[in-house]
Amino acid sequence: MLVRDAMSTVVLTIGPTHTLRQAARLMAARRVGAAVVLDGDAEGMGILTERDVLTSVGTGQDPDRETAGAHTTTDVVFAAPGWTLEEAAEAMSHGGFRHLIVMDGRGPVGIVSVRDIIRCWAPARRERGALVG
């Protein structure tokens, strides 16, 4: 199975000046665990995850004052739609993160998470177990 089969095509994009509260509100409304942070000035993109927001709030920072840009991971590993789920899982495991931005030639086309991969693998395991058992 490929990344394109598992990824969410709901790509939330925010700017680096969004507050963490604004980012969290948007992520919750769209039921996603990560947002792509686009910074036109820096000509790059990064990712802000629910864990980044949780870490900030958990350390006592004010989510109405902290910006997405201050908590964005900019050293991002990107996946291609044609990667296998094994390749995506290996990249996540090696990098210690749970989300990959999926890019094609035009830009971000999706996000794949550990949850997406498990959702795809679990039925396949059940089916193999039913056939074998």
Side-chain angles (χ1 to χ4, degrees), residues 2-133:
L2 302 178
V3 165
R4 74 170 52 90
D5 303 318
M7 71 183 190
S8 169
T9 56
V10 176
V11 180
L12 172 62
T13 58
I14 62 173
T17 60
H18 277 79
T19 67
L20 291 185
R21 184 177 309 279
Q22 290 170 322
R25 192 173 287 135
L26 290 168
M27 285 190 278
R30 288 169 178 76
R31 299 179 50 97
V32 297
V36 174
V37 181
L38 297 176
D39 187 348
D41 294 334
E43 293 187 29
M45 76 176 65
I47 190 166
L48 178 76
T49 67
E50 57 197 357
R51 182 177 288 172
D52 298 324
V53 175
L54 184 64
T55 299
S56 174
V57 172
T59 59
Q61 295 178 332
D62 183 351
D64 292 313
R65 292 186 175 266
E66 293 297 314
T67 63
H71 298 275
T72 296
T73 300
T74 55
D75 185 20
V76 180
V77 175
F78 299 101
W83 277 19
T84 65
L85 293 186
E86 288 82 4
E87 289 172 307
E90 175 62 29
M92 290 177 188
S93 177
H94 180 73
F97 43 80
R98 299 180 299 164
H99 297 86
L100 288 170
I101 300 171
V102 183
M103 299 283 287
D104 71 3
R106 300 172 313 235
V109 294
I111 293 185
V112 65
S113 70
V114 170
R115 181 179 294 169
D116 295 326
I117 293 171
I118 291 170
R119 180 179 41 80
C120 290
W121 281 349
R125 288 187 60 102
R126 278 195 303 272
E127 288 172 15
R128 278 197 308 268
L131 295 174
V132 174

